[in-house]
Amino acid sequence: MTKRALWLTGSLLLAALIFGAVAEAQQVPSAVSRAGRFVFGAGVGLQGDTVDDTAFALGVSGDYYLNNNISIGPLLQIGLTGDLFQLGLTAQAKYTFDLPDLPAIKPHVEAGIGFIYADLDRPNGRGGDDTSFLIPLGVGLEYRLSSRISLDTTLLFNFTDLDVRGGDDNFFLTWLVGVRIPF
């Protein structure tokens, strides 16, 4: 099994485990309206299948809710290895689902468009840097601990056209786990 398949399988198993544990947990009382609120999010995780294989990932987002379910805002993705620095900035639109029977759990889907910069530094000279478009499509799950903080996990499928090794690198995954704080 390849590293990519192992990484994807492990991510899906962990997401299923988290979802199962959250479904069994005690629920938070009635939902608070998100309309007109700004929510800051930050997370850490992994980026798989980058131009330098698997990278450590950082993510920062800001969501402004137009109504209780639809939000827009920026997403910053940073990927780091010993040889790679990757920075992606996109404008995202997100739809958050309300589950009537589980008010503390909020699944979401999101999509965006923006730019990515990658700098690969290899001693043999096979590196380089490039800037390209970035289209992240994602799914995620938020678990509200209280009205002031939530745990969040997101899996992003990133489409791009980076060329830093003499060949095209058109896709990578980002998996983030973090917190979300409404203001």
Side-chain angles (χ1 to χ4, degrees):
M1 191 177 263
T2 66
K3 284 184 178 182
R4 182 177 181 183
L6 283 172
W7 189 88
L8 183 58
T9 303
S11 297
L12 292 174
L13 287 174
L14 186 57
L17 179 67
I18 290 171
F19 184 80
V22 166
E24 294 295 322
Q26 181 179 356
Q27 297 179 14
V28 176
S30 64
V32 176
S33 175
R34 295 181 297 269
R37 296 183 82 181
F38 177 79
V39 178
F40 171 79
V44 297
L46 297 172
Q47 287 183 341
D49 203 25
T50 69
V51 295
D52 195 31
D53 204 16
T54 302
F56 174 74
L58 299 170
V60 178
S61 65
D63 296 323
Y64 178 77
Y65 280 87
L66 302 173
N67 62 32
N68 206 37
N69 300 97
I70 299 173
S71 65
I72 56 172
L75 170 66
L76 178 68
Q77 297 181 61
I78 301 171
L80 303 167
T81 69
D83 296 326
L84 174 70
F85 172 76
Q86 186 166 275
L87 178 74
L89 181 63
T90 55
Q92 296 289 111
K94 183 184 293 185
Y95 185 84
T96 303
F97 298 90
D98 289 322
L99 302 176
D101 296 334
L102 300 168
I105 298 174
K106 305 290 181 198
H108 67 267
V109 294
E110 63 183 283
I113 190 164
F115 297 96
I116 186 168
Y117 170 77
D119 183 12
L120 183 62
D121 184 25
R122 291 273 172 90
N124 61 8
R126 288 186 32 204
D129 66 336
D130 192 21
T131 302
S132 176
F133 66 87
L134 176 61
I135 301 172
L137 305 174
V139 295
L141 186 69
E142 179 180 333
Y143 177 69
R144 197 172 57 159
L145 295 173
S146 71
S147 63
R148 298 296 303 152
I149 192 164
S150 298
L151 298 178
D152 182 63
T153 185
T154 302
L155 181 63
L156 296 163
F157 301 88
N158 296 287
F159 299 91
T160 185
D161 192 27
L162 286 172
D163 182 9
V164 295
R165 291 187 300 194
D168 292 334
D169 292 294
N170 299 322
F171 175 79
F172 66 95
L173 290 168
T174 302
W175 177 52
L176 298 169
V177 176
V179 297
R180 291 175 48 84
I181 302 168
F183 291 95

